[in-house]
Amino acid sequence: MNKTTMLRLTLAVAALTLIVCSCTQDKVVEKYDNGKAKVIQILKKKDGSLQQVGEKRLYENGKERMSGKISEGKRTGVWKFYFESGKLFAKADFTDNQQGKNWEVYDHEGKQLVSKSDKIAELHFAQDGGLCDIRIKQDDKELLYRFFESFRVCVTSQMKGNIPNGETIAWFENGKMNSYYYYRDGIQDSIYRVYTEEGGLLVSGQYNKGIKVGKWEYYLSDGSPSGIEIYDTDGTKLKSRE
């Protein structure tokens, strides 16, 4: 082998080594009970050692739950969050902002709940880093969204600062309405409804400034009546359920 060939071979090996060393590596750091990956760290060799540059969290079915870049142990850049179906739930930019900015949030059917133009008043994350709740100012409204671990909507509430003011709706994880409330300045008022997970009515009544008034109707889970209660305008119970 002549010197020219040796030099070319050396340069080729050096180039290949550089490429290999610059590539990222996936490291599974947490698994589900069935052995499938739950948390994957994305590592890259920097300054002679492997450093974390990204992270993926997966559902038990193997689909992505959330992912993004990591710098010095913190989120950075755009992170994306997904429903177990694979549909996009949310995305935000964590560059120099650990609460995230330019949030976009969608429900499981693809309806946009939060857009980049909305002002974020407050938000919280679950232990795994998923979005737990977010309160926004949208045009002339203030809205609060709470989410299940699956990212499906758990509660939607009209707000006035930190207190509910207007409709508050709680949802089952299957998307059916759980209950309907109405508040005025933090005090329960007007319509009150509670439903079964299948959509059947369980309770129907009325509040007036936090006091039960009028007829309250109750039903069993099969839809059959379970009795009524009658309240006076001052909240005095006039008739009890039998």
Side-chain angles (χ1 to χ4, degrees), residues 135-146:
R135 182 163 58 89
I136 63 171
K137 293 184 178 180
Q138 190 177 78
D139 299 325
D140 59 344
K141 298 181 295 183
E142 291 185 55
L143 300 169
L144 170 69
Y145 295 101
R146 298 188 188 277

Side-chain angles (χ1 to χ4, degrees), residues 26-41 56-65:
D26 288 355
K27 180 182 179 182
V28 177
V29 295
E30 190 175 344
K31 294 181 179 181
Y32 287 101
D33 291 340
N34 62 9
K36 289 187 176 181
K38 184 176 184 179
V39 182
I40 298 174
Q41 289 183 349
K56 289 181 184 178
R57 289 182 176 262
L58 309 175
Y59 287 102
E60 199 164 355
N61 66 3
K63 289 191 176 181
E64 199 169 296
R65 176 171 168 78

Side-chain angles (χ1 to χ4, degrees), residues 172-174 176-177 195-200 202:
F172 289 107
E173 205 161 1
N174 66 3
K176 297 278 189 179
M177 187 183 294
Y195 300 89
T196 67
E197 201 164 352
E198 292 73 35
L202 284 175

Side-chain angles (χ1 to χ4, degrees), residues 4-233:
T4 302
T5 304
M6 280 288 292
L7 179 59
R8 288 176 179 173
L9 182 59
T10 301
L11 290 173
V13 171
L16 181 60
T17 302
L18 182 62
I19 291 171
V20 171
C21 290
S22 65
C23 288
T24 57
Q25 300 179 28
D26 288 355
K27 180 182 179 182
V28 177
V29 295
E30 190 175 344
K31 294 181 179 181
Y32 287 101
D33 291 340
N34 62 9
K36 289 187 176 181
K38 184 176 184 179
V39 182
I40 298 174
Q41 289 183 349
I42 302 169
L43 307 174
K44 188 173 183 178
K45 195 165 187 179
K46 289 184 175 181
D47 302 324
S49 64
L50 286 174
Q51 297 180 26
Q52 186 180 2
V53 295
E55 182 177 283
K56 289 181 184 178
R57 289 182 176 262
L58 309 175
Y59 287 102
E60 199 164 355
N61 66 3
K63 289 191 176 181
E64 199 169 296
R65 176 171 168 78
M66 65 187 86
S67 65
K69 295 178 181 180
I70 297 285
S71 178
E72 298 180 350
K74 296 180 180 179
R75 287 175 171 174
T76 189
V78 175
W79 273 65
K80 293 184 178 181
F81 306 78
Y82 300 91
F83 293 103
E84 194 168 1
S85 65
K87 287 184 178 180
L88 180 68
F89 161 61
K91 62 180 179 179
D93 187 353
F94 288 84
T95 304
D96 302 321
N97 188 332
Q98 287 306 292
Q99 291 292 292
K101 56 189 177 184
N102 297 325
W103 276 95
E104 295 178 41
V105 181
Y106 303 85
D107 69 12
H108 69 284
E109 294 181 338
K111 177 185 175 183
Q112 188 165 29
L113 305 177
V114 180
S115 70
K116 292 180 181 179
S117 61
D118 296 328
K119 182 179 179 182
I120 308 301
E122 186 178 13
L123 56 80
H124 299 94
F125 297 102
Q127 189 173 2
D128 73 347
L131 186 62
C132 197
D133 59 68
I134 186 168
R135 182 163 58 89
I136 63 171
K137 293 184 178 180
Q138 190 177 78
D139 299 325
D140 59 344
K141 298 181 295 183
E142 291 185 55
L143 300 169
L144 170 69
Y145 295 101
R146 298 188 188 277
F147 305 100
F148 289 106
E149 186 179 357
S150 64
F151 294 145
R152 283 180 171 245
V153 177
C154 175
V155 174
T156 61
S157 185
Q158 294 178 351
M159 303 292 289
K160 184 178 182 180
N162 291 320
I163 61 174
N165 186 60
E167 283 187 345
T168 291
I169 303 174
W171 306 90
F172 289 107
E173 205 161 1
N174 66 3
K176 297 278 189 179
M177 187 183 294
N178 176 310
S179 48
Y180 178 96
Y181 307 75
Y182 196 91
Y183 289 90
R184 295 188 194 278
D185 295 323
I187 298 173
Q188 208 163 335
D189 197 75
S190 189
I191 300 170
Y192 175 79
R193 301 281 189 275
V194 179
Y195 300 89
T196 67
E197 201 164 352
E198 292 73 35
L201 183 63
L202 284 175
V203 183
S204 175
Q206 191 93 2
Y207 279 98
N208 181 23
K209 297 179 181 178
I211 298 172
K212 287 182 176 181
V213 295
K215 181 192 289 188
W216 279 65
E217 300 173 280
Y218 297 85
Y219 302 86
L220 299 176
S221 58
D222 63 3
S224 57
S226 178
I228 64 171
E229 295 173 345
I230 305 293
Y231 294 86
D232 205 343
T233 55

